[in-house]
Every structure is written in structure tokens, then in C-alpha cells.
């Protein structure tokens, strides 16, 4: 256990490191913008040759648009400041659609099986399940077209679809699969075409609803963390912006009775604050000797602060 002054000093060091990283990111963004401009110019020249060699192919104007869309995609995944607070976004009403338990479990299992969405918090997943609405497509219908601007993500409940990219068939998918998720996660164009091989029943949710769920749960979680940090006696003298930065990087972790959180001698890279429960601190003075109980920590106590000092 360190002193509050040690912790404050370590936090200030981390904040300064973050500022330096932000400056580096700005420099890299500028360099990427310059390279994007070069790529766009080269793409334009390439289109001129394509228009001669393949006059029936893609138009000259489409590729520069694609380059611009790719730039937009890169910028869109960066964090953007928002003027909304919890009171504002809590008043947003999301429409829930009734579905039986089988459908709810199918949607939840499909999301948890998806590489891009499985890391969402369970509360977010359950809200997405509630807000998904039913859609149907007949055999031969085009559900998603490559290159279009997408705003919906789908979960298949019944039927079969085939996936194409550049007119090459990639695979077929059946019930319990998610597709179209990149369009709502990264605001990009559709990367493939999906067609119905049979009458298909799907569940869908749009980007606006998805973003509202993400933002609302994020703001609520941040407010909970801020409230918790302010209740910790050792942190009550820290400034609001410092507490906010700590809340931004907090991650909730759970341990069962008897689990080891930190092992003596192991390299540490995590700083812990106890939100609930009790922790026993022990130390072994020499190999072969019994563990000595140093203290018992509870809510509001913290340990592992040496990790902040590197």
C-alpha cells in the first residue's frame, strides 16, 4: 500500500503520458491524411487507365468516392465528444418488440458467437435483443448489396442465405448467424452481398438504436464509476477531471472466494480498487516459510498501485 501522494503523482504521470500519446496520434493522423490524398490521386490516375481498358466496368467517379468513404470509416471509429449527458439520453425512448423465449435465446446466442459483438456487456446485448424487430425476405431477394450504405444488422432465425464478394460466392449461412454488423459498428459501406436462398425470417436493429444503447449504457456506467470513486476516502481530494479519467479506464473484474488477485513476485500491470467484498493481503518473507497476513481490505481500499509507476 502506498500513500495518497504517491498515487496522485503516479496518476499525474499517466495523464502526462496520455497527453503525449494524443500528440503523437495527431501527428500520425496528419501523416495518414497526406497518404490518403496521395492514394486518392493515384486511384484517379488508375481509373483513367481502367476507363480505357474496361469501358463497361466501374465508372471513374466511383473509386474516389470509395477512397473518401474509407477515410470516413477510419475517422468514424475514433472517439467523438458528445454534448449529451445521462439526463438527455435517458429520455430517449427505444421501441421494444415482443418475441418468444426461443427467439430471444437465438438472438443472444448469435451475438455472443459473433467476433465483433461478443464483447458487449450483457446489459447491452439484452437491450439489443429487446429492440430487434422482425423482417422477411422471399427466395432470391437481395438483403444486402455490396457497396451500399448500411444501417441495419441482422440475426437469422429461419431460412438460408448466400454471401458474395466481387461476384464470387464466399459461403452460405443458416439460422443463428449475425451479418451486417460492420455497418453499425463502423459506419462503413457494405463489404459483401447477401441473397436469400429460401424464404428467410430475420431480426434487425438499426444503427441509431444501437448507438443509443451503447451511449446510454456507457454514460450510466461512467456515472456509476464516478459516484464510486468519489466515495473512496483516498480519492475525495482528487480533481473532477482526474476522477473522470480514472473512470474512463476502469474495468470491472470479478473474483470468487479464494481466488488469487495478485501473486507475490509476479510482474504487475493492474491497479485495483475494491468495489464490493473483502481481500486478504499476505506476504511470504522467505521461501518455505508460511504466509503472513498483513491486512484485510474492503470497499474503497486499493492495492497494486506500483503498477501505475511502471
Amino acid at each position: 500500500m502506498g500513500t495518497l501522494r504517491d498515487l496522485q503523482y503516479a496518476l499525474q504521470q499517466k495523464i502526462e503520458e496520455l497527453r503525449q500519446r494524443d500528440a503523437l496520434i495527431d501527428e500520425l493522423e496528419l501523416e495518414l491524411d497526406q497518404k490518403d490524398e496521395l492514394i486518392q490521386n493515384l486511384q484517379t490516375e488508375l481509373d483513367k487507365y481502367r476507363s480505357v481498358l474496361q469501358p463497361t466496368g466501374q465508372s471513374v467517379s466511383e473509386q474516389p468516392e470509395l477512397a473518401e468513404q474509407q477515410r470516413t470509416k477510419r475517422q468514424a471509429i475514433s472517439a467523438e465528444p458528445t454534448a449529451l449527458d445521462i439526463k438527455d439520453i435517458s429520455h430517449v425512448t427505444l421501441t421494444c418488440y415482443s418475441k418468444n423465449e426461443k427467439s430471444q435465446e437465438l438472438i443472444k446466442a448469435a451475438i455472443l458467437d459473433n467476433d465483433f459483438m461478443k464483447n458487449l456487456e450483457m446489459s447491452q446485448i439484452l437491450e439489443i435483443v429487446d429492440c430487434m424487430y422482425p423482417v422477411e425476405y422471399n427466395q432470391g431477394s437481395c438483403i444486402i448489396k455490396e457497396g451500399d450504405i448500411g444501417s441495419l444488422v441482422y440475426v437469422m432465425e429461419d431460412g438460408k442465405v448466400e454471401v458474395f464478394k466481387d461476384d464470387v460466392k464466399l459461403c452460405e449461412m443458416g439460422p443463428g448467424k449475425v451479418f451486417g454488423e460492420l455497418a453499425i459498428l463502423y459506419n462503413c459501406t457494405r463489404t459483401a452481398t447477401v441473397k436469400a436462398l429460401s424464404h428467410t425470417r430475420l431480426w434487425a436493429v438499426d444503427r441509431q438504436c444501437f448507438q443509443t444503447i451503447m451511449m446510454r449504457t456507457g454514460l450510466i456506467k461512467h456515472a456509476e464509476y464516478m459516484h464510486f470513486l468519489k466515495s473512496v476516502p483516498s480519492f475525495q481530494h482528487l480533481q473532477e477531471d482526474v476522477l473522470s479519467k480514472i473512470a474512463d479506464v476502469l474495468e470491472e473484474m470479478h473474483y470468487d472466494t479464494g481466488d488469487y488477485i495478485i501473486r507475490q513476485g509476479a510482474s504487475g500491470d493492474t491497479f485495483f480498487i475494491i468495489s464490493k467484498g473483502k481481500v486478504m493481503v499476505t506476504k511470504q518473507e522467505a521461501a518455505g516459510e508460511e504466509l503472513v497476513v498483513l491486512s484485510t481490505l474492503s470497499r474503497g481500499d486499493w492495492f497494486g498501485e506500483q503498477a501505475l509507476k511502471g
Side-chain angles (χ1 to χ4, degrees):
M1 296 291 292
T3 65
L4 178 59
R5 180 172 295 178
D6 290 337
L7 179 60
Q8 289 176 323
Y9 177 73
L11 287 172
Q12 290 298 332
Q13 283 186 315
K14 287 296 179 182
I15 292 172
E16 182 59 31
E17 288 178 14
L18 289 174
R19 287 172 180 165
Q20 293 175 359
R21 290 179 185 177
D22 287 341
L24 177 60
I25 289 172
D26 289 339
E27 292 178 7
L28 294 174
E29 283 284 349
L30 179 60
E31 185 178 344
L32 283 172
D33 288 339
Q34 293 172 345
K35 289 184 178 180
D36 281 342
E37 184 177 358
L38 175 60
I39 290 171
Q40 186 171 344
N41 292 335
L42 292 174
Q43 188 68 63
T44 303
E45 292 298 318
L46 180 60
D47 285 337
K48 292 179 181 178
Y49 290 108
R50 283 178 174 171
S51 65
V52 176
L53 297 175
Q54 298 178 351
T56 60
Q58 197 171 28
S59 67
V60 176
S61 62
E62 285 179 314
Q63 287 295 338
E65 290 176 359
L66 179 57
E68 185 63 31
Q69 288 164 355
Q70 289 173 339
R71 289 188 64 204
T72 303
K73 174 187 173 182
R74 178 175 59 80
Q75 295 166 350
I77 61 175
S78 301
E80 294 181 354
T82 174
L84 290 175
D85 59 22
I86 297 175
K87 293 181 180 179
D88 294 330
I89 203 166
S90 63
H91 292 143
V92 177
T93 302
L94 298 176
T95 304
C96 297
Y97 297 85
S98 62
K99 45 187 73 72
N100 58 42
E101 185 176 348
K102 181 181 177 181
S103 296
Q104 292 176 356
E105 290 300 320
L106 180 140
I107 297 171
K108 185 170 70 173
I111 293 174
L112 291 173
D113 188 51
N114 183 266
D115 289 337
F116 294 94
M117 302 181 71
K118 64 184 180 182
N119 292 319
L120 297 177
E121 294 183 11
M122 185 55 64
S123 60
Q124 295 171 329
I125 293 175
L126 294 178
E127 275 203 83
I128 293 172
V129 172
D130 289 339
C131 293
M132 280 195 148
Y133 59 88
V135 291
E136 296 189 16
Y137 288 90
N138 294 322
Q139 182 178 358
S141 297
C142 183
I143 304 172
I144 287 177
K145 186 177 180 181
E146 184 178 356
D148 284 354
I149 301 297
S151 62
L152 296 174
V153 61
Y154 299 94
V155 174
M156 285 193 60
E157 179 166 33
D158 190 30
K160 201 171 188 179
V161 300
E162 53 185 351
V163 182
F164 293 87
K165 184 172 180 62
D166 298 327
D167 295 325
V168 177
K169 184 174 179 177
L170 300 181
C171 64
E172 295 181 1
M173 293 190 298
K177 291 296 182 181
V178 174
F179 60 91
E181 69 278 8
L182 292 184
I184 65 167
L185 292 175
Y186 301 117
N187 192 24
C188 62
T189 57
R190 297 297 193 184
T191 57
T193 295
V194 179
K195 294 182 180 179
L197 282 173
S198 62
H199 182 78
T200 303
R201 291 189 294 119
L202 309 163
W203 294 97
V205 67
D206 61 63
R207 183 191 299 117
Q208 184 177 358
C209 178
F210 177 83
Q211 290 179 342
T212 300
I213 292 172
M214 296 300 104
M215 189 179 299
R216 181 158 62 189
T217 53
L219 288 173
I220 291 173
K221 184 65 70 175
H222 186 274
E224 290 176 354
Y225 287 163
M226 286 291 288
H227 179 74
F228 166 66
L229 290 173
K230 289 178 180 179
S231 71
V232 177
S234 300
F235 292 169
Q236 288 177 351
H237 300 293
L238 295 179
Q239 296 180 356
E240 188 85 6
D241 62 330
V242 176
L243 288 175
S244 181
K245 289 182 181 293
I246 298 175
D248 286 338
V249 297
L250 279 183
E251 181 181 352
E252 205 169 288
M253 303 181 72
H254 301 265
Y255 296 90
D256 293 327
T257 302
D259 287 349
Y260 284 93
I261 303 174
I262 289 178
R263 286 274 197 174
Q264 182 179 349
S267 59
D269 60 359
T270 308
F271 168 66
F272 296 90
I273 309 169
I274 301 174
S275 173
K276 183 179 180 181
K278 292 184 178 181
V279 171
M280 182 170 62
V281 183
T282 61
K283 185 175 182 179
Q284 189 177 39
E285 297 295 343
E289 293 187 4
E290 292 187 1
L291 295 175
V292 177
V293 178
L294 301 181
S295 62
T296 300
L297 308 178
S298 58
R299 175 183 168 86
D301 292 328
W302 41 270
F303 57 94
E305 68 281 355
Q306 293 296 327
L308 294 180
K309 302 176 184 179

